[in-house]
Amino acid sequence: MQGTVESQGTAIAVDHAHEHPDFRVLGLLVFLISESLMFGGLFAAYLLLRGMNEQWPPEGTEVELLVPTINTLILISSSFVIHYGDVAIKKDDVRGMRKWYWLTAAMGAVFLGGQVYEYLTLGYGLRTNVFANCFYVMTGFHGLHVFIGILLILGVIWRSRRPGHYSAHRHTGVTMAEIYWHFVDVIWIILFTLLYILTRF
Amino acid sequence: MAQAQLPLDTPLSLPEHPKAWKWYDYFTFNVDHKVIGIQYLVTAFIFYLIGGLMAVAMRTELATADSDFLDPNLYNAFLTNHGTIMIFLWVVPAAIGGFGNYLVPLMIGARDMAFPRLNALAFWLNPPAGALLLASFLFGGAQAGWTSYPPLSTITATTAQSMWILAIVLVGTSSILGSVNFIVTIWKMKVPSMRWNQLPLFCWAMLATSLLALVSTPVLAAGLILLLFDINFGTSFYKPDAGGNVVIYQHLFWFYSHPAVYLMILPIFGIMSEVIPVHARKPIFGYQAIAYSSLAICCVGLFVWVHHMFTSGTPPWMRMFFTISTLIVAVPTGVKIFSWVATLWGGKIRLNSAMLFAIGLLSMFVLGGLSGVTLGTAPVDIHVHDTYYVVAHFHYVLFGGSVFGLYAGIYHWFPKMTGRLLDERLGILHFVLTFIGTNLTFLPMHELGLKGMPRRVAMYDPQFEPVNLICTIGAFVLAFSIIPFLINIIWSWNRGKVAGDNPWGGLSLEWATSSPPPIENWEVLPVVTKGPYDYGIERRQESTDEDRDEEE
């Protein structure tokens, strides 16, 4: 009807099925730009504080390296693990996907466990000094994102119980969980460099 | 791109639509972009009235030098919440959420936004945010101004300040989710026949706005989270005595809040670019210049924030850089202004309410823009910093700019939204009162500022009293100007003259559907064969269009 309005010059009418296209992956990618700028704000605040304080980190609040390095290796490997899950679902192998996603969730949980262990053994708390403030807020905020990532992965595993829910042609949810997990990983690499490695020099 | 691998035959399961919406559908979690647009507009307008009443109370207090109409703490709380509500709960949600949601899918020939449920979620974050702000009055009200600089914000009414932070984080989340939705919608959901250079300018403006909100809002969230920790959990990010620094807050805050100025004006520029050519009956002058200048404002706007901090001890090189970048923003803005004036030039202008508000905006925004240029240069800024000159400037831009633009948009698209025309006589009365009120309130403030009256104070030197009294009278005129508008909206919505599908003879796609549009927007998707602004050149174009179609 509208297609024939004279002034519009839209003379030809084409009918489309009333379907809604699926842009969720693109939406997630755009959203992650925003998320990375939130971390960007924290990084900027950290770097400014670092530049303004002569001794960084102040004596007594040095970071531990062993546990976080193991943690980092686990998290980075988990990005490869989750990718195998994505490869599996594209071959219609739901069981394979479930296996790799379980493994990723477990590795994420180990990472969080390692972080809690680190918090308990560091010997200083959130309020100790401004470095400790940054340390706990930034790693805590990242940990929250890891936690959300684990929930997403578990959600994918939960949904994959239904036969045919995910397949080689329908795997948007699987892909989105993977993209989010990679994002969390990339942010950790920056965080690890800023908070752990660069404080050693 | 990952989604390219997805087959197109996997539609998302959305709830089935009924034939028409009932009134109570507007109070539910509805996923239709038109319902969400109106929800945004009405909610935002209610907050506008609340914020406006706070302004009237403050102006009453300021009518005389030593009045005690408001308790000082209450004055501070009104001051903070007036600014916060007007920015975060009125202009931004009305312009982006309201008009953006209602118009963008219609203008690009889509049936809905890319993520309808996310869209509804984004809207429903707003009412709780407003409720949090208003509830903060039970705890003394946030008192540190809408900028909430520490250390003031960490020592006054801390519970209320935390509620303020949470409210801003809520509307910020809403704004980010909305931006994701707009970017994907405009990018991917245009009807296939619409080329990028046929995209209505409002959509270009919304694209630029969304990109800007997407990158700047999360930085504010980061800054506010640190402030929340400082207030509630004993950290010292912004406490100089413990190694922190208050200027870091200012950087994070203004990295969002200066671009927020463009978030409030870019959609309005989009509205102007739609209203002016339709009511001047002329093709818009410089389509590409207007479209690209929106993107230019979006990019340059991210590099000007330090001009709010010229008096915070910024080094001279920084002042130099940010003075220059600030002045550069005036260029794309000027391009737009000239394009609109050139569009008006020689047009068959219909001086109805929408056009009056658009022309009113032009005149006032030029004044506000010019005082902005003076403020953007470090030497002048240092002189008038934190005086009423600043208040005058941003009210000319935000009231004379954004609010006039929102009114122009309401008069222009009300027939599309409701199927009925607004009454022109009431509309003109509304315009005259608003125009007089705005100038009476804010023009004298330039003088107050140049003479040194500080902003954000409830008592002031008696020498400023006569000018302040004029401002207060202006504020009352502005308050009364709402009355004919409200009567007009309520009466016309029920009994107004039936508008027909296209009362203004507009060429952009939203006018091609019925008024109000059916729930699915189109019976059949429209096909674009012409630009949205080709007024009066149908005959000349017809032959070439046919040639082009054949070639394609």
Side-chain angles (χ1 to χ4, degrees), chain A residues 14-73:
Chain A
V14 181
D15 198 5
H16 276 245
H18 289 209
E19 71 194 23
H20 197 86
D22 187 349
F23 297 120
R24 284 178 293 168
V25 173
L26 183 61
L28 178 69
L29 288 172
V30 176
F31 175 71
L32 288 181
I33 297 175
S34 202
E35 277 266 62
S36 38
L37 270 131
M38 171 133 43
F39 279 103
L42 295 179
F43 295 158
Y46 171 81
L47 287 171
L48 284 167
L49 285 169
R50 181 194 162 113
M52 287 163 183
N53 283 277
E54 286 197 356
Q55 205 192 2
W56 194 265
E59 231 170 292
T61 44
E62 287 83 7
V63 288
E64 175 64 38
L65 260 191
L66 180 66
V67 176
T69 308
I70 298 172
N71 244 349
T72 306
L73 290 176

Side-chain angles (χ1 to χ4, degrees), chain A residues 79-93:
Chain A
S79 250
F80 292 97
V81 174
I82 200 170
H83 183 66
Y84 283 120
D86 193 55
V87 171
I89 196 69
K90 281 175 186 158
K91 289 179 187 155
D92 248 342
D93 177 9

Side-chain angles (χ1 to χ4, degrees), chain A residues 2 8-10 18 20 34 133, chain B residues 113-114 214 236 507 512 520 527 529:
Chain A
Q2 301 82 348
Q8 189 54 46
T10 52
H18 289 209
H20 197 86
S34 202
N133 298 162
Chain B
M113 298 284 283
L214 189 78
S236 45
L507 294 187
E520 293 260 285
V527 174
T529 54

Side-chain angles (χ1 to χ4, degrees), chain B residues 156-201:
Chain B
T156 52
T158 51
T159 309
Q161 194 66 47
S162 303
M163 293 166 87
W164 181 90
I165 292 173
L166 291 176
I168 303 301
V169 170
L170 277 181
V171 288
T173 311
S174 159
S175 169
I176 291 171
L177 298 180
S179 302
V180 171
N181 218 339
F182 281 121
I183 292 171
V184 176
T185 305
I186 297 172
W187 186 1
K188 287 286 174 185
M189 290 185 67
K190 298 195 302 317
V191 275
S193 53
M194 181 182 276
R195 289 166 305 179
W196 278 100
N197 65 4
Q198 289 172 325
L199 191 66
L201 287 165

Side-chain angles (χ1 to χ4, degrees), chain B residues 473-541:
Chain B
I473 294 170
F476 275 95
V477 175
L478 268 186
F480 283 112
S481 74
I482 302 283
I483 294 171
F485 178 68
L486 275 180
I487 294 173
N488 201 352
I489 290 279
I490 294 167
W491 186 84
S492 301
W493 205 317
N494 296 308
R495 308 252 166 131
K497 216 166 90 184
V498 175
D501 292 351
N502 192 357
W504 314 125
L507 294 187
S508 43
L509 280 184
E510 81 271 25
W511 300 109
T513 184
S514 58
S515 301
I519 285 176
E520 293 260 285
N521 290 356
W522 325 90
E523 306 269 318
V524 288
L525 284 185
V527 174
V528 178
T529 54
K530 243 177 225 153
Y533 306 104
D534 295 346
Y535 297 99
I537 50 176
E538 285 90 352
R539 301 209 171 280
R540 249 190 304 144
Q541 282 283 304

